[in-house]
């Protein structure tokens, strides 16, 4: 995808401007048109704010029509649900392609109840959520009264369009849309970083674990690149697994048989997709600790 | 079972003595008879040593016959393997009653190979091992040369009979046959023990988890009784799970959504069945640590 | 001192009862006489409460006279101040015998200001405070208004007499007057208690340190008896010093030169004289942690 | 001081080269002359190696004369010893300007013994040592036999001249002469860096503490610049003091009175002047930990 510069966008005719970024808001080119009149923008985040302001300023029936035009999450999941198990695993973009049968039935049930209650599709910025979190958000929002749910849906539109705009436009004042998950392993038995330790990252979905990444620590006890970065961190539960036993065995330390600590799991949740989560491990063959670092 | 006193055993006739504890060594009353001549014993562990010395002093063919008379672990597992899934779960005494189909096939294969190589049944003190550990011991000992395996089998006889004798005889100098697993939860956010926290203990078997215990911490952050005690701690892998999120939520602490830490798993192994394993948790909503304590 | 039994006290004549415990409240046998009428007492702490109730029920001028009869802390310190440096160090019972010249001058100044403002001697239960804490209490209470200070003085009378009564009378329901300070050293490099480690306990007074105890850890990493016990723990600042470097050197671990950690100081304060303070150390040659335990 | 470029040095005549860096080796321009013949050098560290090789290749009597020409540390300290207390404190470059009277007498005694035994001045790269470490090195090296001490003195010449050369010459392959001491404070009660916390760094000399730095943590819980950097870290003992109590008080956390933790001292030693020492603090109002990090 070619990136547009904010500077250029500020110069375009209204029509060209709307043509360029009109699809950021789902089937609603009028949003871009309204924002065009507020140019020039000094920061990309100001452009996004102006677009959201146009949505908020629209008459209620226009807003409802706008929300109603969003694609049906259920349809997407339904199609995927018909796929083979292998294909399902390959497709993880929406987090909905690997629902278990039970989760899928729960999803369909929630979707039906949601439409019956609110008369709208369920809107959520799927890139900011794990499949677990999409289901729990679904359940939670089903209990909202219509006014509150209306606001919740608009907040998700905010997240969805902020991501789309950040992918399409470059310039000053980019909105912060990406998070970062990193780790660091200190061998406090030796008093230095643990190099060459294998680390696995899993996402939890119900009782199941989906492996997201495998990494090996470098000389500084860190992974070459963050465990997750360059995207929002999906809200949900995770588990890091560190091959602590292998590390100390390779150092020739006498461990028990089996070793007291072998694979050390750290289970934690992410609640802020745009945040920085640093989850380090300090370990000896007989102890370890972790904390949310910075 | 009535317990015999060491004092009384020291007074009995040789025949009565052999009748009383002759079955400690599987189908080998001659062991007790030989030990009878060494009386009186000041300590129960000395009685056990004298019985083991009688085994070691026996001619090789007698020793081999003695080992050969031990029941076949495979038969036991085989019978259990024919049971329903429910029955299998109910029976956990030997740790062999809940093998998965794959584990069971592996077990049968190892058993055949062992008998073919050594001409003896595989002897192991099952009360000192988890099902995982029995299988890994089986595999490991299959690589022994006959002399080394012969010694390994006698060492298991030592463990088996020590447990039997300790259950049958009371007196001074009891052998140490029991271990203890305990925990303790400190809430370092509040600076006091974490009371009322739910804790689960699981045994790991391959990729499966078997729940062994559920406990709730008391005012001192400990469990009313140890998580395991009054028996050898089976060698193997375990996981403790602490409901840390619930604890801090009940204290009214503002946590993330979902909370950074919810259920905290501590995975560790036991290598010394007669040892004391203290595996405490120090936690805040944002950090935790554990160590092998005392 | 002979201990009286609560049971016997309940049987005595009023005169004998007052003779027995009349001196618990400084120069105020009427307190015991008033309490005598409330007998029998099931618990020693009820006897103490009854005596305090008698004080609170007395007319205001009687209470003031009672407080006024308390010995002057300043006089005590003054006498000691005239002593040689050696003698001062030897006498530590009141915590006032080892004031520096500057502290002593501060003490005299406070004492004068206190008397001028309240017309009473400064009353404080010295056994519950370090010299540092006596001075800071003195300064703080000088800012009280008379009503509040009156209540503060009576609260100190409560502490003083509770200690005296607990030392004099034995029986059911003893008031909790003693605290306990303990420690525990885990060598998480070896995964076991650190045995034979030297520990020193210091009290801080201004910038000075007074050594209170020296101890050596036993096989379980603990000290044979608590670092402080059988008395209230004086409110104030403390420092524990652990000979961590010597410990790891004796284990033959290669350390830096000089070792990264040698003497590890843990500085903490005690605020609850009747509480239990457990201040453990978890250490490797390259890391350590501590926490208020239980 | 103007810096010379390695590139330019490679082009100069031998005489100009020796004039430019002849004073790197104390009163020994012949070292530079010998190295001149080995040009061109690709890295500054190769130039330094070539100069050291010239020293090692010189006849023994030349080497001894060279060592003998080094200034007398004792003279320097003696002059300083005659200064006022204030002046002594101002001069800290050599670490010898603030010896206590006792340390100074010890220093003179060692200096006399050293000269009597070895017939040479005591040579040590003072920038790599605290005053404590200079004294302990002095004592230790006094026990060397002459051959070993000769090698030790040449090793110090290596350190001294490496520093001088690194300060004088710029180019590829600079020798690593600087260390770095940094810290980081995590508030694990809040799950974020501790901002605005006051930190002090002290050097220990015998029983005395010399304050080296005061810093305040920034939003990331770090100090704006490292606590020490841009120079070798002097070998010796240090104490960091963190105003933990103030931090939690400012957050409105209810602490004890006095707070369990107020000023937290971390005492550690530096053994590698060119290394990176990261000494972080993880703290709650009731617990803390530290480790040698990276």
């Amino acid at each position: 995808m070619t990136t547009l510069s904010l500077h250029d966008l500020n110069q375009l005719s209204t029509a060209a401007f709307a043509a360029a970024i009109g699809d950021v808001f789902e089937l609603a080119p009028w949003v871009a048109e309204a924002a065009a009149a507020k140019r020039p923008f000094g920061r990309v985040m100001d452009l996004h704010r102006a677009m959201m302001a146009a949505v908020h300023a629209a008459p209620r029936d226009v807003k409802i029509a706008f929300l109603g035009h969003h694609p049906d999450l259920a349809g997407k999941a339904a199609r995927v649900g018909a796929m083979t198990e292998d294909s399902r695993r390959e497709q993880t973009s929406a987090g909905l392609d690997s629902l278990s049968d039970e989760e899928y039935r729960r999803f369909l049930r929630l979707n039906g109840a949601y439409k019956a209650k609110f008369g709208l599709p369920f809107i959520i910025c799927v890139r900011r959520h794990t499949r677990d979190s999409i289901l729990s958000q679904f359940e939670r929002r089903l209990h909202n009264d219509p006014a509150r749910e209306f606001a919740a849906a608009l907040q998700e539109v905010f997240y969805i369009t902020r991501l789309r705009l950040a992918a399409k436009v470059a310039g000053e004042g980019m909105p912060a849309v990406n998070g970062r998950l990193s780790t660091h392993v200190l061998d406090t038995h030796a008093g230095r970083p643990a190099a060459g330790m294998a680390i696995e990252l899993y996402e939890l979905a119900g009782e199941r674990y989906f492996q997201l990444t495998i990494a090996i620590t470098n000389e500084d006890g860190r992974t070459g690149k963050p465990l997750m970065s360059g995207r929002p961190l999906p809200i949900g539960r995770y588990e890091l697994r560190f091959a602590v036993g292998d590390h100390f065995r390779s150092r020739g330390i006498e461990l028990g048989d089996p070793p007291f600590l072998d694979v050390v799991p750290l289970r934690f949740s992410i609640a802020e997709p745009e945040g920085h989560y640093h989850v380090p491990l300090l370990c000896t063959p007989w102890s370890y600790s972790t904390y949310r670092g910075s």
Side-chain angles (χ1 to χ4, degrees), chain A residues 103-177:
Chain A
E103 286 165 342
Y104 181 59
R105 282 192 297 271
R106 188 174 147 213
F107 185 84
L108 284 189
R109 197 171 57 241
L110 287 164
N111 204 55
Y114 187 92
K115 283 193 165 165
K117 178 166 181 183
F118 298 114
L120 284 173
F122 178 70
I123 299 174
I124 189 165
C125 179
V126 291
R127 297 196 65 207
R128 296 178 79 253
H129 294 270
T130 58
R131 64 213 93 193
D132 242 28
S133 179
I134 288 172
L135 283 167
S136 72
Q137 285 296 315
F138 220 149
E139 243 154 32
R140 212 184 284 191
R141 285 170 52 187
L142 200 49
H143 294 103
N144 281 344
D145 60 49
R148 190 188 184 95
E149 177 53 24
F150 196 67
L154 283 174
Q155 180 63 37
E156 293 299 321
V157 166
F158 171 86
Y159 290 130
I160 293 168
T161 56
R162 193 172 61 168
L163 269 168
R164 288 185 184 168
L165 197 69
K168 219 178 178 80
V169 180
E172 290 294 300
M174 294 296 289
V177 294

Side-chain angles (χ1 to χ4, degrees), chain A residues 57-126:
Chain A
R60 184 175 166 78
D61 58 332
V62 173
K63 277 191 275 200
I64 288 179
F66 163 64
L67 294 177
H69 287 146
H70 277 72
D72 193 341
L73 214 57
K76 196 168 183 187
R79 279 200 316 281
V80 177
M83 293 178 180
T84 60
E85 180 60 26
D86 274 356
S87 305
R88 282 166 64 179
R89 298 211 166 216
E90 286 160 22
Q91 302 198 19
T92 58
S93 61
L96 294 173
D97 40 10
S98 50
L99 298 178
S100 66
D101 289 348
E102 188 189 327
E103 286 165 342
Y104 181 59
R105 282 192 297 271
R106 188 174 147 213
F107 185 84
L108 284 189
R109 197 171 57 241
L110 287 164
N111 204 55
Y114 187 92
K115 283 193 165 165
K117 178 166 181 183
F118 298 114
L120 284 173
F122 178 70
I123 299 174
I124 189 165
C125 179
V126 291

Side-chain angles (χ1 to χ4, degrees), chain A residues 3 222 265:
Chain A
T3 309
R222 303 177 196 271

Side-chain angles (χ1 to χ4, degrees), chain A residues 194-206:
Chain A
M197 187 184 289
I199 301 177
E200 296 173 304
L201 174 66
Y202 290 85
E203 175 194 328
L204 275 74

